[in-house]
Amino acid sequence: MESSVVLINVFSVPQGSEEQFIQVWTEALEFMKNEPGFIDAKLHRSLDPNARFQFINVAHWESSEAWKTAFSKPQLKALGSQAVFEQNPALYTVAVQT
Protein backbone atom coordinates (compact mmCIF):
# COMPACT_ATOMS: atom_id res chain seq x y z
CA MET A 1 0.00 0.00 0.00
CA GLU A 2 1.26 3.46 -0.90
CA SER A 3 2.15 5.75 1.98
CA SER A 4 0.94 9.33 2.17
CA VAL A 5 2.43 11.90 -0.18
CA VAL A 6 3.35 15.55 0.10
CA LEU A 7 2.25 18.01 -2.55
CA ILE A 8 4.61 20.95 -2.93
CA ASN A 9 3.28 23.57 -5.31
CA VAL A 10 5.24 26.76 -5.94
CA PHE A 11 3.46 29.80 -7.35
CA SER A 12 4.74 32.79 -9.27
CA VAL A 13 2.19 35.59 -8.80
CA PRO A 14 2.45 38.97 -10.56
CA GLN A 15 2.97 41.90 -8.19
CA GLY A 16 -0.35 43.45 -7.29
CA SER A 17 -2.24 40.15 -7.70
CA GLU A 18 -1.30 38.62 -4.34
CA GLU A 19 -4.66 39.16 -2.63
CA GLN A 20 -6.58 37.81 -5.63
CA PHE A 21 -4.31 34.75 -5.63
CA ILE A 22 -4.87 34.15 -1.90
CA GLN A 23 -8.62 34.36 -2.43
CA VAL A 24 -8.55 31.84 -5.29
CA TRP A 25 -6.20 29.53 -3.34
CA THR A 26 -8.54 29.66 -0.34
CA GLU A 27 -11.53 28.78 -2.55
CA ALA A 28 -9.56 25.87 -4.02
CA LEU A 29 -8.66 24.71 -0.50
CA GLU A 30 -12.34 24.68 0.49
CA PHE A 31 -13.00 22.42 -2.51
CA MET A 32 -10.02 20.15 -1.78
CA LYS A 33 -10.90 19.75 1.92
CA ASN A 34 -13.93 17.72 0.87
CA GLU A 35 -12.03 15.42 -1.47
CA PRO A 36 -11.27 11.83 -0.43
CA GLY A 37 -7.66 11.46 0.68
CA PHE A 38 -7.03 15.11 1.60
CA ILE A 39 -5.21 15.49 4.93
CA ASP A 40 -4.14 19.13 5.28
CA ALA A 41 -2.55 22.11 3.52
CA LYS A 42 -0.65 25.28 4.36
CA LEU A 43 0.12 28.22 2.11
CA HIS A 44 3.48 29.87 2.82
CA ARG A 45 4.35 33.41 1.69
CA SER A 46 7.91 34.55 1.05
CA LEU A 47 9.33 37.28 3.26
CA ASP A 48 11.19 38.55 0.17
CA PRO A 49 8.78 40.53 -2.08
CA ASN A 50 11.13 39.92 -5.02
CA ALA A 51 11.28 36.13 -4.63
CA ARG A 52 10.59 34.19 -7.83
CA PHE A 53 8.02 32.08 -6.02
CA GLN A 54 6.07 34.29 -3.62
CA PHE A 55 3.84 31.45 -2.43
CA ILE A 56 4.43 27.77 -1.69
CA ASN A 57 1.66 25.32 -0.87
CA VAL A 58 2.57 22.26 1.19
CA ALA A 59 -0.26 19.73 1.42
CA HIS A 60 -0.54 16.15 2.58
CA TRP A 61 -2.60 13.52 0.79
CA GLU A 62 -3.28 9.89 1.63
CA SER A 63 -2.06 8.79 -1.82
CA SER A 64 -0.92 10.12 -5.17
CA GLU A 65 -4.07 8.69 -6.75
CA ALA A 66 -6.30 10.68 -4.38
CA TRP A 67 -4.45 13.89 -5.27
CA LYS A 68 -4.51 13.17 -9.02
CA THR A 69 -8.25 12.49 -8.91
CA ALA A 70 -9.00 15.71 -7.02
CA PHE A 71 -6.59 17.87 -9.05
CA SER A 72 -8.12 16.75 -12.35
CA LYS A 73 -11.68 17.78 -11.45
CA PRO A 74 -13.21 20.53 -13.63
CA GLN A 75 -14.30 22.58 -10.58
CA LEU A 76 -10.68 23.02 -9.52
CA LYS A 77 -9.52 23.88 -13.03
CA ALA A 78 -12.24 26.53 -13.24
CA LEU A 79 -10.97 28.13 -10.02
CA GLY A 80 -7.42 28.17 -11.36
CA SER A 81 -8.50 30.03 -14.46
CA GLN A 82 -9.75 32.96 -12.34
CA ALA A 83 -6.27 34.31 -11.60
CA VAL A 84 -3.09 34.88 -13.54
CA PHE A 85 -0.31 32.87 -11.89
CA GLU A 86 2.15 30.15 -12.71
CA GLN A 87 2.07 26.98 -10.65
CA ASN A 88 4.40 23.99 -10.51
CA PRO A 89 2.83 21.14 -8.51
CA ALA A 90 4.78 17.98 -7.72
CA LEU A 91 4.31 15.07 -5.32
CA TYR A 92 7.02 13.98 -2.89
CA THR A 93 7.73 11.40 -0.23
CA VAL A 94 10.10 11.85 2.71
CA ALA A 95 13.67 10.87 1.80
CA VAL A 96 15.35 11.72 5.11
CA GLN A 97 13.81 12.63 8.46
CA THR A 98 15.42 13.73 11.72
Side-chain angles (χ1 to χ4, degrees), residues 20-65:
Q20 179 191 14
F21 168 77
I22 290 171
Q23 180 180 353
V24 170
W25 187 88
T26 302
E27 289 177 33
L29 176 62
E30 288 304 313
F31 171 79
M32 290 295 215
K33 283 166 57 172
N34 297 314
E35 291 299 301
F38 175 83
I39 299 171
D40 65 9
K42 290 183 181 176
L43 183 65
H44 303 266
R45 188 173 191 167
S46 176
L47 296 175
D48 178 358
N50 297 314
R52 178 176 176 198
F53 301 112
Q54 298 87 1
F55 296 94
I56 298 176
N57 173 31
V58 178
H60 297 94
W61 286 82
E62 290 178 3
S63 69
S64 59
E65 286 305 314

Side-chain angles (χ1 to χ4, degrees), residues 76-93:
L76 190 62
K77 291 182 182 201
L79 280 172
S81 68
Q82 293 180 23
V84 177
F85 59 84
E86 176 190 339
Q87 65 175 326
N88 299 281
L91 296 176
Y92 296 85
T93 61

